[in-house]
Amino acid sequence: MSPLMLVLIAVAGVALLLLGVIKFKMPAFIVLLLVSILVALAAGIPIQEVAGLVTEGMGGTLGSVAVLVGLGAMLGKVIEISGGAQVLSTRFTALFGPRRVIAALTTAAFLLAIPVFFDVGFIVLVPIIYGFAKALGVSPVKIGLPVGAIMLAIHVVVPPHPGVVGGAEILGADIGWATILGLAFCAPLGVLSYFAAKRINRREIPMLAETAEQFESFGAGSSDDGAVATKTKAPTSSMVISMILLPIVMIMLGTVGGSLVPAESTAANVLGFIGSPSIALLVTVLVSYYLLGVRSGWTSEQTGKVMDSALAPAAIVILVTGAGGVFGKVLTESGIGTVLAESLAEAGLPVIVMAFVLAAILRVSQGSATVAIITTTGLLATAVEAGGYSTVQTALILAAVGFGAFGLSHVNDSGFWIVTRFLGLSVADGLRTWTVLTTMLGVAGFALTAITYAIITAAGV
């Protein structure tokens, strides 16, 4: 099938998806599955392989997302109902003042995102975002957008995240320089994220009904929780902070500690186990079960009911995210992104520009930032190796790839669904806010990278 026809099929698929969700208000889960099947058939994928592709796309996404979302939702619920989120938001508001709370939380998110994957970190912060929004009397969107955006920026350009680490291996880029440059670029992006999100949020954005209901009842408990009436004391702010930091410390221990011991050794395997995001969150949920629940006055049964009550709303996020993975899988298997990238690679653009544009095309066509980074660096590897670029130049090329994979987060990206569903955004509002914000920051990040590249090249470094 011709490259033009594949592109037209992809465009038609996205248009059909948006029409079904925005115009006809159909459930996103159903529309994503239906459009994925139609695109697969139209792109020439054999009919006998389509059902298996749907299962593979769903399973591949949910294998990592379902456990993290489920455990994260449980942790968030017990922090919420125990009064922890309210205690922490009140404490931070008093400490920094109402006008600086969002900036403070965005800064905290910057640090949190370094060792923790984007989806894990965002899910862990959701109850804190809700608590701060309640304390300030604003929509969670006003806080969640800049927090999510800076966390995603870190995820695509700063090691030890998988895309940038894998890309560095392929290009032969120095991890140390990748880390230094990535953090240097993301620091001003954090400031830009705060002000750009403030500009995007200048009008009031309505929340989806189910999320608005959860937000309105946030921190108040309900009869279904079965525990609020017998709770004897709220946790301290330090205890809540400890629950947030525990999975981060465990993940960081696995990442940093694992790099200090011989690969495949017993110590490396143990540290890898401890630092696994799912294990880190499971341990944290168990600790919070006791410290925030039983020790603070709930019975074991009441604590269990509080945690179980988090799973029903989390199921919507899990299923929609999985269906988004199906759509991304179909677009990948159809070869749409690869065809576009290979065509562009023949255009003769400067390598730094090509790195950004190729990654952006792969990002928008198949959804995953990690896949976009790995695929782009694979396409550029030969050119970079033959170009005789310096260590710093190669690290900058890798950063350009990461920023290309940053923007254009839309309906085929699982992160899009996690952010929009937890913040209560409709698909249309998600495209107007989250997609616009990530694209702005991706372009700004590339501009910083390109300017630095020009200076470094002129200086002969």
Side-chain angles (χ1 to χ4, degrees):
M1 189 174 293
S2 70
L4 178 60
M5 183 58 66
L6 285 174
V7 173
L8 291 176
I9 290 171
V11 172
V14 173
L16 184 60
L17 194 157
L18 296 177
L19 184 67
V21 174
I22 297 173
K23 176 67 175 177
F24 296 106
K25 310 296 183 184
M26 296 176 65
F29 177 64
I30 298 296
V31 179
L32 278 165
L33 291 179
L34 178 60
V35 171
S36 298
I37 293 170
L38 293 176
V39 169
L41 293 173
I45 295 176
I47 192 170
Q48 68 271 20
E49 297 179 10
V50 172
L53 195 61
V54 170
T55 303
E56 186 179 351
M58 178 70 76
T61 302
L62 295 188
S64 58
V65 170
V67 175
L68 298 179
V69 171
L71 291 173
M74 284 183 158
L75 177 61
K77 192 68 173 178
V78 77
I79 289 176
E80 171 201 343
I81 300 300
S82 68
Q86 187 64 39
V87 167
L88 194 61
S89 58
T90 301
R91 172 67 174 163
F92 269 68
T93 302
L95 187 63
F96 294 104
R99 297 185 61 182
R100 291 188 291 272
V101 164
I102 299 177
L105 186 57
T106 303
T107 303
F110 179 98
L111 300 174
L112 167 66
I114 295 172
V116 179
F117 289 179
F118 166 72
D119 48 3
V120 182
F122 189 81
I123 290 167
V124 168
L125 284 181
V126 164
I128 309 305
I129 291 171
Y130 275 32
F132 281 17
K134 274 281 190 179
L136 296 176
V138 300
S139 167
V141 176
K142 293 184 182 295
I143 299 176
L145 280 182
V147 165
I150 191 57
M151 294 182 80
L152 183 57
I154 294 287
H155 186 83
V156 296
V157 295
V158 178
H161 295 287
V164 65
V165 170
E169 180 68 24
I170 293 170
L171 292 182
D174 183 79
I175 289 291
W177 273 110
T179 303
I180 293 169
L181 292 169
L183 290 174
F185 294 146
C186 285
L189 288 186
V191 178
L192 178 60
S193 172
Y194 171 74
F195 287 104
K198 189 175 182 179
R199 175 69 176 173
I200 290 172
N201 283 319
R202 64 188 183 279
R203 69 177 183 87
E204 195 65 30
I205 302 172
M207 297 175 67
L208 294 175
E210 61 269 24
T211 310
E213 184 178 346
Q214 293 174 39
F215 178 63
E216 287 302 318
S217 63
F218 182 83
S222 70
S223 58
D224 293 334
D225 297 323
V228 177
T230 59
K231 196 76 160 62
T232 58
K233 59 180 179 180
T236 62
S237 58
S238 60
M239 186 180 295
V240 178
I241 292 173
S242 298
M243 292 301 97
I244 297 171
L245 291 179
L246 179 57
I248 301 170
V249 171
M250 289 182 66
I251 293 170
M252 186 181 293
L253 179 64
T255 301
V256 177
S259 65
L260 300 177
V261 298
E264 304 301 325
S265 65
T266 301
N269 293 335
V270 170
L271 288 169
F273 175 79
I274 292 173
S276 167
S278 57
I279 297 300
L281 270 177
L282 176 59
V283 170
T284 305
V285 167
L286 291 174
V287 173
S288 69
Y289 185 94
Y290 174 70
L291 291 182
L292 300 184
V294 176
R295 187 182 176 188
S296 297
W298 289 339
T299 66
S300 181
E301 180 183 6
Q302 289 169 332
T303 308
K305 286 182 177 180
V306 169
M307 288 188 169
D308 283 344
S309 68
L311 295 180
I316 299 174
V317 177
I318 290 170
L319 289 174
V320 172
T321 301
V326 173
F327 190 45
K329 182 69 174 179
V330 166
L331 292 176
T332 300
E333 292 298 316
S334 67
I336 292 169
T338 302
V339 165
L340 287 172
E342 290 177 346
S343 299
L344 186 64
E346 299 173 359
L349 294 172
V351 67
I352 193 77
V353 177
M354 191 183 301
F356 175 77
V357 176
L358 281 175
I361 288 177
L362 286 164
R363 164 69 151 161
V364 76
S365 64
Q366 54 76 45
S368 169
T370 299
V371 171
I373 293 170
I374 297 296
T375 305
T376 302
T377 51
L379 291 169
L380 292 175
T382 302
V384 171
E385 184 180 359
Y389 298 102
S390 69
T391 300
V392 179
Q393 285 176 318
T394 304
L396 287 167
I397 293 170
L398 179 63
V401 173
F403 285 124
F406 182 12
L408 300 169
S409 171
H410 67 105
V411 293
N412 63 351
D413 174 24
S414 61
F416 174 88
W417 295 105
I418 288 176
V419 170
T420 56
R421 291 295 151 169
F422 275 119
L423 296 183
L425 292 168
S426 67
V427 173
D429 284 331
L431 293 172
R432 283 192 287 261
T433 56
W434 176 249
T435 304
V436 170
L437 181 59
T438 58
T439 304
M440 287 174 58
L441 295 179
V443 172
F446 172 67
L448 291 174
T449 305
I451 292 170
T452 306
Y453 183 87
I455 294 172
I456 291 297
T457 302
V461 178

